[in-house]
Amino acid sequence: MSDEKKIIDDAIDQEYKYGFVTDIEQETFPPGLDEEVIRKISAKKLEPGWLLDWRLKAYRHWKTMVEPTWSSVKYPTVDFQSISYFSAPKKKPELKSLDEVDPELLETYRKLGIPLEEQKIFAGVAVDAVFDSVSVTTTFKKELSNHGIIFCPLSEAVQNHPDLVKEYLGSVVPAADNFYAALNSAVFSEGSFVYIPKGVRCPMELSTYFRINALNTGQFERTLIIADEGSHVSYLEGCTAPMRDENQLHAAVVELVAHKDANIKYSTVQNWYPGDKEGKGGIYNFVTKRGICLDDNSKISWTQVETGSAITWKYPSVILKGDNSIGEFYSVALTNNYQQADTGTKMIHMGKNTKSTIISKGISAGKSQNAYRGEVKIMKGADNARNYSQCDSILIGDQCGAHTFPYIDVRNHTAKMEHEATTSKIGEEQIFYCNQRGISEEDAVSMIVNGFCKDVFQELPMEFAMEAQKLMEVSLEGSIG
Amino acid sequence: MMLKIKNLHASVGDKPILKGINLEVKAGEMHAIMGRNGSGKSTLTNIITGKEGYTITDGSIEYKGKSILDDSPEDRALNGIFQSFQYPVVIHGVNNTYFLRTAYNAKRKYLGQPELDAASFMKLIREKMKLVEMDRSYLKRSVNDGFSGGEKKRNEILQMVTLEPSLSILDETDSGLDIDALKIVANGVNNFRREDRSFIVITHYQRLLKYIEPDVVHVLMDGQIVKTGGKELALALEEKGYGWLDGDQL
Ligand SMILES: Nc1ncnc2c1ncn2[C@@H]1O[C@H](COP(=O)(O)OP(=O)(O)OP(=O)(O)O)[C@@H](O)[C@H]1O
Ligand SMILES: [Mg+2]
């Protein structure tokens, strides 16, 4: 092994620091899935009949579906009967303030560096923390409600705002959309709900942290964000999980609805446990995220930094229905060791003068495989649609792979499409250049990689951009070789 | 003694490139190395600064009295060896100022000095930029990204005057410079000369040596230094080419 190779290896090698398990009393359903389990989940959450029916319908449909195999990821078949579909901290978290939260939980959040503490709260981040299947606390509710903003666990919204939930749930990602979305629709147990009223600019970042703690549970959260006419919201989700030898399933659904002139920015920093160096354990992250620009001049922007999970399978998409609407997708996906990522986006242009931008940066290290898969569809009525796509990959070492699968479907001749793609190896010359200026190999790699990701990082809210940079460094440790 | 190279033999794969280099550079001296394309000038530079990919089959390199052959490239750099690259690389998305500050602070850290914050560094760098008459707009751009050939070379010299090395090896820094830029770079180098700083200037042209006066001129041919002399040697080369030295070797 050459020196450089060794350093890349060392640099990628840093251990997952969120791998602790929280010792908290949990109520967990026994593994297995049938209609009875779904009824029990629904009953636990005191759900109205229509929602139970919706779940059951999704479940019955799911049973007729098969797991998709078209992506490039490889994994053993998931045994859906060995997973528990509900797990919650036992003390029922009906909390008024942070003081009432179980100190073990708070300690967990502290370890995660979640901005739950006062200082961060002053920084203006409203946090909904989802611990396994239950939302533990939503900070800042009061200030938000002064603006008429609803930001709460989805289960709470079902109770307090049933009309809104009923109107929009499944309106963007229908229950039968795909295998994992159907499963999620049947068993989803938590997630966040956001409603921004007409003309309101949400005064702070909204943020959710997801954590899978319990053994053999899946996490099936469901997030629904509705931005009414002329409103603006920026939302961030982060995720971590303990280190476990078994693979854990995470099948989430996120739905975004942007009305006329509304603007939704959705950022993800995904750091689920990626498995160990030999590829043992780690989260299977099978996620369906979709937004709809329902009306004119609306905008939806997805930014994701994906460094975790054993397998990532997600394609945050935008349906550009309103005229002049805008869809954006900015993505950094980093894979190391035996991680696999198959991620990208779908932009579906329906309205006139709609515009989409796709910037995807893939970084592969170790023995990992990293694929970009994206589709741009210009429908018949979408006059003067424009798309710009740029997909760049870099390889660190020579045992990893990068793949690009762009699909284009244009049914209107006025469309303007631009596509650029590059794949390169992280330059030995670049690293030597840095070394020659006294910069260590490790710092050089993280500097080069961060430079490579800059176009995406600058789309993240400030403090999370810093976090993302640090995450890249950590995830790359030991990759230089 | 700043640099002492004895009987240096090096190859790439099976191919010998340096075939017994002997070179001594004292503190404060300005050496020039000339020689045909492919004679081994850049290879010698890379081996001194520790680039990978070469096998040293014989000989030694001492810097300030100690062998550096086992030192990593960054240790050599931190100890004061600087290479102005013949082909400076582009690093997309990495801000030039940030890059330079990272390098500068790596050195401060190595010397046990506190790191410089962004504001103080800006002040420093503005002063340094005057030395090479570089426009401030370069600070905002990515490292060498979209820089013209001449701009890249000037940027190298900016790095040199900022990092303040003891031994600077300038590999064809004059190539690609227009006449004004050549004078500016030469000026930058001359002002940077000090009795405790040494230079090896690699060039194809006598023109540079008009502005930067060398103490010693070497001619490198097929991996060996075949001739060493004063600055008049450069003039002779310009006049006669390298052909007359081929005979010398026999
Ligand atoms: N990595 C390598 N693999 C194979 N050959 C190499 C390698 N590096 C250098 N060489 C060969 O070694 C010889 C010396 O190259 P070097 O770059 O040192 O020449 P130079 O004197 O700097 O030339 P120039 O004036 O053109 O810059 C050349 O024949 C070159 O092809
Ligand atoms: Mg050369």
Side-chain angles (χ1 to χ4, degrees):
Chain A
M1 187 160 35
S2 70
D3 280 2
E4 188 198 305
K5 183 149 181 324
K6 190 182 162 303
I7 293 172
I8 294 187
D9 282 348
D10 293 347
I12 292 191
D13 252 1
Q14 212 199 27
E15 302 241 333
Y16 187 73
K17 71 171 179 185
Y18 303 103
F20 53 86
V21 176
T22 305
D23 194 10
I24 241 174
E25 252 196 293
Q26 301 249 3
E27 179 184 10
T28 303
F29 283 11
L33 181 57
D34 54 23
E35 294 202 3
E36 203 43 47
V37 168
I38 291 166
R39 281 177 209 283
K40 268 165 72 185
I41 294 172
S42 191
K44 274 264 165 227
K45 301 197 158 280
L46 310 169
E47 282 175 0
W50 65 266
L51 191 48
L52 174 62
D53 291 343
W54 194 77
R55 286 176 180 277
L56 290 171
K57 211 172 137 198
Y59 173 70
R60 286 167 199 148
H61 191 87
W62 175 74
K63 283 212 300 190
T64 68
M65 301 170 92
V66 287
E67 262 186 277
T69 51
W70 45 262
S71 80
S72 60
V73 300
K74 293 183 184 62
Y75 57 96
T77 341
V78 178
D79 177 5
F80 292 96
Q81 295 304 334
S82 70
I83 297 170
S84 162
Y85 290 83
F86 187 81
S87 174
K90 230 180 195 155
K91 270 181 231 159
K92 204 158 181 295
E94 272 280 327
L95 306 170
K96 297 280 177 302
S97 85
L98 280 182
D99 304 340
E100 298 172 46
V101 177
D102 188 322
E104 274 275 352
L105 259 187
L106 281 183
E107 179 62 15
T108 303
Y109 293 133
R110 198 191 55 73
K111 281 190 211 160
L112 293 171
I114 291 181
L116 259 182
E117 305 99 338
E118 294 288 312
Q119 38 162 334
K120 289 284 175 72
I121 290 173
F122 285 131
V125 180
V127 179
D128 183 17
V130 177
F131 191 83
D132 285 328
S133 306
V134 170
S135 189
V136 182
T137 172
T138 305
T139 55
F140 253 122
K141 228 178 246 179
K142 192 110 185 223
E143 170 162 10
L144 291 171
S145 70
N146 288 342
H147 289 85
I149 294 168
I150 306 167
F151 176 38
C152 66
L154 184 56
S155 53
E156 208 177 296
V158 169
Q159 306 300 328
N160 301 338
H161 312 281
D163 294 346
L164 278 175
V165 177
K166 201 170 175 179
E167 182 177 351
Y168 291 102
L169 188 74
S171 69
V172 191
V173 179
D177 187 76
N178 67 67
F179 185 82
Y180 298 109
L183 177 63
N184 174 288
S185 302
V187 304
F188 75 90
S189 34
E190 209 32 271
S192 297
F193 177 83
V194 176
Y195 173 78
I196 315 286
K198 273 187 192 164
V200 170
R201 260 175 195 271
C202 186
M204 62 190 77
E205 305 277 345
L206 301 182
S207 167
T208 302
Y209 266 83
F210 294 106
R211 172 130 183 115
I212 298 179
N213 188 57
L215 188 64
N216 291 331
T217 51
Q219 184 153 10
F220 305 94
E221 87 269 0
R222 192 162 183 119
T223 297
L224 177 55
I225 299 178
I226 302 142
D228 216 327
E229 266 184 52
S231 69
H232 283 236
V233 60
S234 168
Y235 185 90
L236 185 119
E237 64 170 358
C239 4
T240 58
M243 290 157 80
R244 300 209 187 264
D245 288 346
E246 301 78 20
N247 295 106
Q248 283 175 286
L249 181 63
H250 175 247
V253 170
V254 175
E255 297 178 277
L256 311 181
V257 180
H259 285 274
K260 190 165 181 291
D261 301 317
N263 189 325
I264 303 177
K265 184 176 176 61
Y266 193 103
S267 315
T268 304
V269 175
Q270 187 265 109
N271 186 26
W272 295 116
Y273 178 52
D276 68 10
K277 274 184 243 170
E278 273 69 52
K280 201 164 174 213
I283 302 285
Y284 290 167
N285 191 32
F286 301 143
V287 172
T288 307
K289 290 185 167 174
R290 195 176 302 151
I292 184 162
C293 288
L294 209 51
D295 233 311
D296 297 355
N297 313 318
S298 52
K299 177 176 172 184
I300 289 179
S301 180
W302 298 101
T303 305
Q304 59 173 26
V305 176
E306 305 277 323
T307 59
S309 296
I311 298 177
T312 297
W313 180 97
K314 68 182 268 203
Y315 314 90
S317 306
V318 184
I319 301 168
L320 297 150
K321 187 156 172 274
D323 291 348
N324 314 313
S325 58
I326 296 174
E328 294 173 339
F329 174 73
Y330 299 96
S331 169
V332 165
L334 183 153
T335 53
N336 193 8
N337 297 319
Y338 286 88
Q339 281 177 275
Q340 307 175 58
D342 194 300
T343 183
T345 184
K346 243 191 216 175
M347 294 289 174
I348 300 163
H349 293 252
M350 297 169 71
K352 295 184 180 46
N353 309 314
T354 46
K355 204 172 122 186
S356 62
T357 303
I358 299 171
I359 309 273
S360 161
K361 305 278 179 178
I363 301 128
S364 333
K367 297 188 167 66
S368 68
Q369 296 295 329
N370 202 330
Y372 167 81
R373 187 183 304 276
E375 177 171 9
V376 180
K377 202 172 200 166
I378 313 283
M379 306 299 272
K380 250 206 183 98
D383 292 343
N384 304 315
R386 272 160 47 201
N387 165 262
Y388 174 76
S389 302
Q390 184 188 337
C391 308
D392 300 321
S393 321
I394 48 174
L395 304 167
I396 300 176
D398 46 21
Q399 292 175 286
C400 51
H403 318 274
T404 306
F405 305 102
Y407 306 97
I408 292 171
D409 179 359
V410 179
R411 304 177 190 182
N412 181 314
H413 69 277
T414 59
K416 282 206 187 79
M417 319 281 289
E418 266 183 274
H419 183 88
E420 289 175 29
T422 63
T423 300
S424 54
K425 277 198 69 168
I426 193 158
E428 280 174 36
E429 300 286 335
Q430 286 178 329
I431 292 177
F432 179 64
Y433 189 76
C434 296
N435 289 163
Q436 213 303 302
R437 298 301 183 246
I439 300 167
S440 74
E441 206 106 31
E442 211 168 291
D443 290 349
V445 168
S446 86
M447 186 152 88
I448 293 164
V449 168
N450 274 313
F452 175 76
C453 301
K454 192 175 168 193
D455 295 346
V456 174
F457 287 169
Q458 68 192 15
E459 295 298 323
L460 286 171
M462 189 62 179
E463 63 260 49
F464 299 115
M466 309 282 277
E467 197 175 310
Q469 285 200 15
K470 266 190 245 137
L471 198 55
M472 301 297 286
E473 278 162 34
V474 170
S475 307
L476 270 176
E477 286 222 3
S479 70
I480 319 225
Chain B
M1 189 67 64
M2 185 67 77
L3 182 72
K4 189 170 181 173
I5 299 179
K6 270 204 300 211
N7 192 32
L8 183 68
H9 286 73
S11 14
V12 173
D14 295 336
K15 186 182 168 198
I17 300 187
L18 301 185
K19 301 168 181 171
I21 302 266
N22 291 293
L23 178 65
E24 289 192 3
V25 179
K26 295 201 183 73
E29 284 183 347
M30 172 77 65
H31 287 235
I33 298 181
M34 303 183 80
R36 284 195 181 113
N37 293 132
S39 55
K41 303 179 299 294
S42 294
T43 303
L44 176 62
T45 310
N46 290 337
I47 287 176
I48 295 170
T49 53
K51 191 175 183 193
E52 265 196 42
Y54 306 96
T55 318
I56 291 162
T57 50
D58 203 0
S60 63
I61 305 178
E62 282 179 9
Y63 168 71
K64 292 183 176 171
K66 275 195 229 131
S67 171
I68 52 168
L69 290 181
D70 291 333
D71 295 352
S72 68
E74 58 268 35
D75 281 343
R76 297 183 203 199
L78 293 167
N79 275 317
I81 302 179
F82 180 89
Q83 169 176 11
S84 167
F85 285 79
Q86 183 173 358
Y87 305 109
V89 301
V90 175
I91 309 177
H92 293 288
V94 176
N95 176 275
N96 213 18
T97 315
Y98 178 77
F99 176 80
L100 206 45
R101 184 158 71 92
T102 305
Y104 186 79
N105 278 333
K107 178 142 190 182
R108 306 246 323 171
K109 208 169 149 198
Y110 180 78
L111 297 174
Q113 295 166 353
E115 298 189 3
L116 224 55
D117 60 62
S120 326
F121 185 75
M122 274 317 282
K123 243 162 114 182
L124 175 96
I125 197 71
R126 286 206 187 112
E127 288 307 308
K128 300 292 184 185
M129 289 192 84
K130 285 186 200 150
L131 299 176
V132 288
E133 298 184 30
M134 244 171 115
D135 191 273
R136 269 192 218 164
S137 62
Y138 295 105
L139 292 176
K140 292 205 196 97
R141 289 162 64 176
S142 298
V143 179
N144 292 322
D145 197 359
F147 286 29
S148 76
E151 288 162 354
K152 285 182 186 167
K153 297 301 177 71
R154 247 198 255 196
N155 197 32
E156 295 289 290
I157 297 305
L158 172 66
Q159 297 184 18
M160 180 186 81
V161 297
T162 307
L163 298 174
E164 304 192 323
S166 309
L167 173 64
S168 305
I169 308 172
L170 313 183
D171 191 357
E172 295 199 26
T173 301
D174 55 333
S175 303
L177 292 181
D178 66 42
I179 300 162
D180 293 340
L182 182 70
K183 282 187 199 160
I184 291 164
V185 162
N187 242 327
V189 173
N190 285 330
N191 290 329
F192 187 64
R193 281 183 82 161
R194 231 167 55 178
E195 57 195 16
D196 59 344
R197 290 180 185 150
S198 311
F199 301 82
I200 299 173
V201 178
I202 294 169
T203 182
H204 286 294
Y205 309 105
Q206 134 76 12
R207 199 182 54 186
L208 173 71
L209 303 179
K210 268 203 292 213
Y211 300 108
I212 300 177
E213 272 203 28
D215 301 304
V216 189
V217 176
H218 309 273
V219 179
L220 189 66
M221 254 187 178
D222 192 22
Q224 283 183 319
I225 290 179
V226 296
K227 188 116 192 143
T228 295
K231 60 182 180 225
E232 68 288 346
L233 179 55
L235 282 169
L237 284 172
E238 181 116 311
E239 221 171 276
K240 304 187 209 169
Y242 292 105
W244 62 287
L245 287 170
D246 286 334
D248 242 40
Q249 256 181 317
L250 296 171

